[in-house]
Amino acid sequence: MFDKLFRKAGKDESEAAPRAVYRRPKIGLALGSGVAKGWAHIGVLRAMNEKGIVPDVVAGTSIGAVVAGAYVSEGLDDLESWARSLSKTNFFRFVDFRLRGGGLFGGQKLYDLMVKSFGHHEIEELATPFVAVGCDLMTGHEVWMQKGALVPALRASFALPGIFDPVMWDGRWIVDGALVNPVPVSVCRALGAELVIAINLAEDIFGRARAERQQVVATGKYGVFADSLAPQEIMGKQRSGMFVRKLLRHEKGAPSIFANMVASLNIIQNRLSRSRLAGDPPDISIDPRVGHIGLMEFHRADELIDIGHQAFEDEFDDLSDALQIIGYTMNS
């Protein structure tokens, strides 16, 4: 009957019923904040690559923006090598300690290092759409940096208030995006992602207690205020640093100014990420168990990368099921 109808209309079947074109579902990847804990993102990305999962859009906040920026600019190998080279004290060779300005550390040395590793890329020219999340210091508004030079955007996204200077971006002073959107799932949705994978570093809030109970971390030496670095770790042992060491010294057993700021940021990230993710949950959440690691323990990259890799493996079955449902085929 249909053949007669097509002949009667003077059309063949191919003209009357064009074949549907297959469209690959769009995958979004949201990398959350967490300062030194962000090295776990590297392990997750390595594991994703091994499974042939390639995100179509990527968003990052703070250290998540740095790792994401390295990933989309093909600088992840350099970042991983640098992270693994850090010791407990040599990280501070890459920051400029000072008592004047908008933060405890200047960011020029880290900026130069990122330019060397990632290159002079414009965000809009990257092969993978990318957004770095920041916070407008004057208004508190969330800022999506998706055009312009890549490295300044990354530098702005991790500008922890009181730790690093704010960064001028498009006429606004920008600070750490963790203050407004610690795990930028909403950004990936806005970029058109149909399935969003989130890496949340703030979920393991009881990790420190667990580590102490298992005697992984010595009680007393570490704990809530594990980021209370000794002054000599920041300034070295030079006589010229005597005044600064006296200034930073605090009562034994009590949190220093530095530890106070970092611990407070940890609380903000945890509470805010829970609130934001409750309103706009990811399809798959990868939650590395990194609560036992301090926010400024950059020297533990080897451990963190392994933890991130394992966290992805733990969620892979659920992720695989989700990808199958939306018709996504993993690259071999």
Side-chain angles (χ1 to χ4, degrees):
M1 181 179 73
F2 288 109
D3 289 342
K4 293 180 180 179
L5 289 173
F6 286 129
R7 284 196 296 270
K8 185 176 181 180
K11 298 178 181 180
D12 60 28
E13 294 182 31
S14 61
E15 291 177 337
R19 182 176 297 178
V21 177
Y22 173 76
R23 183 180 64 82
R24 182 175 179 269
K26 186 177 287 188
I27 305 300
L29 179 64
L31 279 67
S33 57
V35 200
K37 299 178 184 182
W39 298 148
H41 288 312
I42 299 174
V44 176
L45 289 171
R46 295 302 191 196
M48 286 182 62
N49 183 64
E50 291 169 7
K51 299 295 186 181
I53 300 172
V54 181
D56 300 284
V57 298
V58 180
T61 297
S62 193
I63 187 65
V66 174
V67 178
Y71 175 72
V72 297
S73 64
E74 300 183 351
L76 191 62
D77 289 344
D78 287 341
L79 181 65
E80 181 176 349
S81 295
W82 179 71
R84 290 184 183 275
S85 74
L86 294 175
S87 67
K88 190 174 183 180
T89 57
N90 70 0
F91 170 76
F92 293 98
R93 292 186 300 173
F94 299 97
V95 295
D96 316 297
F97 181 82
R98 59 192 183 179
L99 296 178
R100 300 178 62 184
L104 187 62
F105 301 119
Q108 187 60 44
K109 291 182 180 179
L110 284 175
Y111 177 90
D112 294 340
L113 181 66
M114 286 191 293
V115 169
K116 181 179 178 181
S117 298
F118 308 160
H120 295 277
H121 292 280
E122 297 293 312
I123 297 175
E124 62 270 31
E125 296 175 357
L126 294 168
T128 302
F130 168 70
V131 173
V133 177
C135 173
D136 187 322
L137 185 60
M138 298 296 107
T139 66
H141 292 167
E142 185 174 334
V143 178
W144 293 3
M145 294 171 281
Q146 51 189 329
K147 291 183 179 180
L150 174 64
V151 173
L154 304 182
R155 170 71 185 83
S157 186
F158 73 75
L160 282 74
I163 307 297
F164 290 109
D165 287 341
V167 174
M168 179 60 70
W169 177 273
D170 196 23
R172 294 183 284 184
W173 288 109
I174 305 300
V175 294
D176 199 312
L179 297 177
V180 286
N181 196 351
V183 188
V185 172
S186 58
V187 181
C188 292
R189 300 271 187 220
L191 293 176
E194 293 156 279
L195 184 144
V196 178
I197 304 167
I199 309 174
N200 183 5
L201 304 177
E203 188 59 27
D204 186 23
I205 59 176
F206 301 117
R208 179 71 67 179
R210 181 179 65 250
E212 290 179 350
R213 185 173 63 252
Q214 296 173 349
Q215 296 182 344
V216 173
V217 180
T219 305
K221 183 178 180 181
Y222 295 98
V224 176
F225 304 112
D227 294 305
S228 179
L229 296 173
Q232 60 268 24
E233 290 184 292
I234 298 175
M235 288 299 297
K237 299 181 180 180
Q238 311 98 310
R239 291 178 60 87
S240 60
M242 184 177 299
F243 171 75
V244 176
R245 291 197 296 273
K246 287 182 178 180
L247 180 67
L248 293 178
R249 188 173 296 140
H250 58 284
E251 183 180 348
K252 186 175 181 180
S256 67
I257 295 174
F258 186 74
N260 219 344
M261 289 189 294
V262 173
S264 297
L265 180 65
N266 198 25
I267 294 170
I268 292 171
Q269 288 182 102
N270 175 262
R271 298 306 174 187
L272 185 56
S273 63
R274 288 188 168 205
S275 176
R276 290 296 301 257
L277 294 178
D280 191 1
D283 298 286
I284 296 294
S285 183
I286 298 172
D287 306 322
R289 293 167 66 87
V290 293
H292 63 289
I293 294 176
L295 290 182
M296 297 302 292
E297 293 183 312
F298 289 95
H299 59 285
R300 301 178 70 173
D302 291 346
E303 177 183 358
L304 282 160
I305 292 170
D306 288 343
I307 291 173
H309 197 288
Q310 183 60 51
F312 177 86
E313 293 290 346
D314 292 343
E315 296 297 329
F316 179 68
D317 287 344
D318 288 344
L319 175 57
S320 181
D321 290 343
L323 294 175
Q324 185 175 7
I325 288 172
I326 65 171
Y328 182 95
T329 302
M330 289 179 282
N331 297 332
S332 58

